[in-house]
Structure formats: C-alpha cells, structure tokens
Amino acid sequence: MISRTSISEVLQRVDIVDVIGSFVRLKKRGANYLGLCPFHQEKTPSFTVSPTKEIYKCFGCGRSGNVISFLMEHEKLSYVEAIRWLAQRYHVELEETEVSPEWKEQQMLADSLFIINQFAQEFFTHALLETEEGRHIGLSYLQERGLRIHIIQKFQLGYAPENGQTFAQAALAKGYRSEYLLKTGLITRRTPSTYNQDSEFPYRDPYAGRIIFPIHNMSGKVVGFGARTLRNDPHSPKYINTPENETYVKSKILYGLYQARQAIGREDECLLVEGYMDVLAMHQAGIENTVASSGTSLTTDQLQLIRKLTRHLTIVYDGDAAGIKAAQRGMDLALEQGLDVRLVLLPDGEDPDSFVHKHGAQALREFIATNKKDIILFQLETAVAGASDNIEKKSALINQIAATLAHLHDSTDFLRRQEYIRRCSQLLHIDEQGLTSLVNKLIREQLQRKSPSPITRSEGEMLAQTPEDPQQANALLLLQQDQQQEKGLIKILLKYGHLPLKENYTIADFIFNQGVQLELIDHPVAKLIMLEYQQLYEKHQTFDLRYFLYHENQEISQFVAEVLNLQSDEPLSDKWEQRFQLQIQREQDIPIDQAIQTVHHLKMRKLKKMIADNLRELQQAQTEEDLLRGIQLHQQLKALEKQLADATGTVIYH
C-alpha cells in the first residue's frame, strides 16, 4: 500500500554499499567492493557488490540480487518490510495509497497490538533483570536451569510479578486501551463477584508469577507470549499462551525462528524441537539453527516458513513412543513442501535441555550429527518389524509407504523417490516396478485433485522420467542455450532499448517490430518482463532499468539482477576488474549487433518448431493433396531458415 512515488524516492537515496556494509565487512576492489559471503561459509572472499549496477553477486554460492533482495534474504523481510527498513534508515517519509476503511482499521489494530506487546516485553524483561523479586525468583530459576545471561537477553525472557495487578496497572497508566490489552491476553477482567466493583481494580494479570517467553515473527516483532508457572500446582497449567488475535496465530508461528533465521540459512538446515526450553538449550550449546513448534503438530504454514530458509529439516524429539508419533505426524506435510526430513531420537526420557545438563553441549552436538535417520526409511523399518508375515498388515503398509512417497512429486525429487522405492522394495520383498507403478498412480491422482484440467497418464509419468539418453541430454543443453538467448534479449531491452538505431526508431522498436512476440519467449519471467515493458513503452510512460531491478515481484527483480550480473562465474583474480571494465566497453560498442543476433536466434528457434510440426503433419498426411501442401510449406520454411542462417552465420544441420 506504499505509493510508487515513495518507493522511487527510497530507491533514489539507497546506497547498496552502505546497506550491505552494515552486515558484511567490505573492501574496495577497483570499481566494486569485496567481502565474505553472508549466505555461506567461506575463507576467501567471493561476495562482490557493484555500486554502479546496484547489485551484489557471490561467485561461491551464486546468490545475487539488489539491496531489497539482500534484506529479504539476509534479514528474512517481506518486500514491504524491506522498503520500510530502507525508508527508516534514509529518513524518507512514506506516502500510503488510498485503502479501504476496513483495511485501515485492521492495520491500526495490528499496529496497536504490536506496540502493546513491545511494551509488555520490555516490562517483563525489566522485572526479571532489574527488580529484587524478579532476580530472586525468576532469574534464579533460569540460572538453575543452566541458562546464561546472554541467552536470556537474546530471547528477551522476562518475569511477571506475583502481584496480580502490577502489569495491568502499568499498561493502563501508560494510556493503552483496555480492549486492546484484553485482546492480547496480557490482562483479563476479574469476575464481578470476586471484588468490589465500586472501589477495586477490575483487571488482573494472568501471567503473574510466571517466566515469560516472548514470541517473535520473522521481522522480529513480538506477536505473543508463552508463560511458564514456577509452582507445583496440579490445578494450574504448566504453560499458558497468548490467545489468537490479529498478530498471533499459533499455527503460523515457530518459536525461535527470528533468532535462528541466519543460522538456518548459513547451515542450510533447520532443527525442530518441541518446547521453549529446548530451543534455549540448543542455542546455548551453539546449535543456533533450532526452532520449536511449541507443542502443536506441524502445520503447512509452519513448514512453509522453514521452506523459505532451507529444504533440510531435522526433527529432534524424545525417543519414546510419544516422541516418535509426534515426529511422524507432520512427515507427509513436510514432504509435500519439498523438504528433506531427518529424525534424531534422543535417549528415552531425554529432551535437548536434559541431555545438555547430563552430558554437556559438545555431546549433544555429536549425538545429533551421528544419529540422523532418514524419516521415511525409519518409518518403514519400524513398521516392517510389526507387519512380519501378516499379509493384511503388509498390504496396508505398502499402501501407506506408497502414499508417503507420492508426496515426493516434484521433478527435483525424482532421484530421492527412486532410491526410496528401491530400498522399500528390498525391505518389503516386493517387485520394484510394481511399487513404482503404484506410486505413479497416486501421484497422478494427487495432481488430478489439484489441477483444474485433467492430467493424462503420460503427463503424470513424466515425473518418473530422467534424461539418461544422449538425445534428452542434448535437448536439455539446447534448452539452456535458448534460455541464455532469452536472458540476453531482456538484457539488451533493459540496458539499450532506449538507444536510437536511426531517427525516431530505437532498439526497442526494432525488437518489437521484428516479430519478437511473447509466443517466442519460453521463460515465464522473461515473458512477464517483455509484456510489462511493451505495455509501458506503448503508453509512452517514463521508466528506466531500475524500475525492473527493484520490481516488487521478486522473480522479476531476481531475474533482472541475474541478467545484469558481473559476467563471469569464475573466482575473482587481481585482473578481474580490468576484464570486467573491458567487457562493459565491448557491450556498449555493439548493442545493435547483439539485438539483431538475438532476435534472429529467437526467430530461428520459432522457425525450427514450425518445421518440426510440419514434418509431423507430413507423416500423418492422409491424401495426396495434404502431402503436396506439406511439402510446399516445408520448402518455404527451409528457404526462410537459410535466409536467417545466412544473416547470422549459423550452420544448418540436416
């Protein structure tokens, strides 16, 4: 809802070196800046920032983008949050576009709840660390549990005073509205029969006498709280949590994700434990890529949060039956999200917190590293022991395993799925091809349920194919070459589209007038850019390269950053800057030649498709008239192909 004018003003003031330099130590190298990549571990710097192109590129891991995508990736912000972050840094007042009264009211309510939660967190943390009661009761308890002060501060832990009205009185005295405080669950209304309504305070603190665990969203805002009792009272719940409201939905939150986000990206793995104290113990042990589902079964929303950071999920649970069952509950959902799931079962009766107390942090790290099990094979091995020779149980198990493997229907999961099928066939002593057919059948059924149009058998079985033969491999190579040409076309259009070929005729005019239509473009993001560029161009709207580089559609922004990139995927050397500057000069000398060659390539590709289609129709010709018409068309198409080949210097293979 931020106006385009405000976004443009923010981007005009942004200094990519200044922003990235806040997180990465950069050294000037020629026209660019060099540092250690924040997205993977390296000893030799390969992370380069170009202030002139306003992009970054790591030649080690391949990450690239602009200042907004850097903040989104490194700080795990949304596009709007990144714009607001930059606006605050560069003191730009953002102009909001017109919104409906309902939306505005909802946003104001959410903002009010965030402000109240922040006040509450600061109040509880002060009570824990700065008051005699907090230090004597709350802090001593946490220290007895082995927590050091840096972990307490990192997670902003707190304590609610025993007096059941202290927080409510402080919040109301600050001017926070009672209806908002009630909505957050930080105060509750006393039952009328329990107090004098004329003279006594009507609210109470439900968290009184408890340790407070603030819960943060991905941008670090406090959205809710968990509160642990310090009493052995069977009538009082061990933990109470914030009721769901406009900022807190339990199924969409993972405890510790804000604190773990960078470690998850760095390690390319997320460890999942059960409770708050488990997360704190793991972080204190140096295993900082750890989060908790806080006692709930894993949900699709929680798994999607993890999927944004990594594809590798390791569940660390108690090794008893309840722990195993809890780990297996979310397995199918995790696989459906494309996650590679591992399981670590701690010794029976242990959790990460108790394990560290008994054996130490180093022992926990070693145990996790050496006891990861593939969760699908673990489930199979466990179930096989129970099925033994019982035909009905074995049949049910086969169907269960096939249903689980069918969740691995993404094309990138092909090798994993095939390996699972092979292993499962061996363990179950069944035909591998039969299990493959069953899994493919279930995949087709899943796709049919999700797709508005029917999926044919051949389309479903394409998911079980692999490019093993040379012709398929060559086809993939040609596809990659075509994609490079499409990227080249977008680069020419964005960098040189405004340059004149002749009076009142630009390179963009040439590209669009030479028949480069959307049907010639296969890459979906390139097609989006072409479409939007053409629409803006035809309306004579003023725009430049930065419009697409900082586009709010991150697929477009990322694509543009890639096509503008630093031209080489080899490691940097001392002469790299000279080569880069030479390449820029070379590009500026020949944009017209590049445009002509790229357009001809795309037209040649279209022509080859037409020739192939016509040959297929020739093979199916039923009459002499159809055959003659097909031969004439083939001759015409081949003549056009030769003309294009002569223009581009292409060799035609028959």
Side-chain angles (χ1 to χ4, degrees), residues 382-398:
T382 305
V384 165
S388 61
D389 295 328
N390 187 305
I391 298 298
E392 289 184 4
K393 286 184 178 180
K394 189 172 182 180
S395 177
L397 175 59
I398 291 170

Side-chain angles (χ1 to χ4, degrees), residues 310-380:
T310 181
R311 285 195 62 177
H312 303 288
L313 172 65
T314 298
I315 300 173
V316 184
Y317 277 3
D318 189 335
D320 61 14
I324 294 171
K325 189 175 180 181
Q328 291 179 331
R329 271 198 300 265
M331 180 178 69
D332 286 353
L333 280 177
L335 295 174
E336 206 165 51
Q337 293 300 318
L339 293 170
D340 176 22
V341 187
R342 306 281 159 172
L343 177 64
V344 174
L345 292 176
L346 297 172
D348 197 0
E350 297 276 21
D351 56 36
D353 185 32
S354 63
F355 191 99
V356 167
H357 276 86
K358 289 182 182 178
H359 308 288
Q362 181 60 30
L364 177 61
R365 289 194 292 270
E366 292 174 357
F367 186 90
I368 291 173
T370 56
N371 286 275
K372 291 180 184 178
K373 305 173 186 288
D374 183 288
I375 197 165
I376 294 179
L377 295 178
F378 171 78
Q379 181 193 43
L380 178 63

Side-chain angles (χ1 to χ4, degrees), residues 183-359:
K183 187 176 275 289
T184 64
L186 289 164
I187 69 171
T188 56
R189 197 180 296 277
R190 295 169 67 184
T191 306
S193 61
T194 62
Y195 73 102
N196 187 327
Q197 297 181 51
D198 295 327
S199 59
E200 293 187 50
F201 191 65
Y203 303 105
R204 57 179 291 273
D205 301 343
Y207 299 160
R210 291 173 177 262
I211 295 293
I212 306 298
F213 299 86
I215 301 167
H216 303 78
N217 64 12
M218 279 286 280
S219 59
K221 291 182 178 179
V222 179
V223 295
F225 300 89
R228 188 195 192 284
T229 186
L230 299 179
R231 301 189 187 93
N232 292 320
D233 183 355
H235 302 294
S236 177
K238 186 175 181 180
Y239 282 95
I240 54 177
N241 296 291
T242 295
E244 293 201 352
N245 55 45
E246 282 72 10
T247 64
Y248 179 73
V249 180
K250 193 172 185 180
S251 63
K252 296 183 178 182
I253 294 291
L254 287 165
Y255 179 71
L257 188 61
Y258 172 69
Q259 290 83 357
R261 68 198 191 287
Q262 292 182 10
I264 292 170
R266 188 169 58 248
E267 302 294 331
D268 193 21
E269 180 185 31
C270 177
L271 303 185
L272 179 76
V273 294
E274 289 189 271
Y276 303 135
M277 291 301 295
D278 295 330
V279 170
L280 302 180
M282 295 279 276
H283 277 252
Q284 187 161 279
I287 310 172
E288 296 184 326
N289 53 328
T290 305
V291 302
S293 57
S294 305
T296 63
S297 297
L298 274 174
T299 67
T300 300
D301 288 322
Q302 290 172 331
L303 291 166
Q304 286 174 350
L305 288 174
I306 295 171
R307 182 68 179 80
K308 288 179 180 178
L309 305 178
T310 181
R311 285 195 62 177
H312 303 288
L313 172 65
T314 298
I315 300 173
V316 184
Y317 277 3
D318 189 335
D320 61 14
I324 294 171
K325 189 175 180 181
Q328 291 179 331
R329 271 198 300 265
M331 180 178 69
D332 286 353
L333 280 177
L335 295 174
E336 206 165 51
Q337 293 300 318
L339 293 170
D340 176 22
V341 187
R342 306 281 159 172
L343 177 64
V344 174
L345 292 176
L346 297 172
D348 197 0
E350 297 276 21
D351 56 36
D353 185 32
S354 63
F355 191 99
V356 167
H357 276 86
K358 289 182 182 178
H359 308 288

Side-chain angles (χ1 to χ4, degrees), residues 99 119 205 214 226 236 266 275 325 358 500 523 596 610 618 650:
V99 296
F119 167 77
D205 301 343
S236 177
R266 188 169 58 248
K325 189 175 180 181
K358 289 182 182 178
H523 196 294
I596 293 170
M610 292 173 68
L618 269 172
T650 304

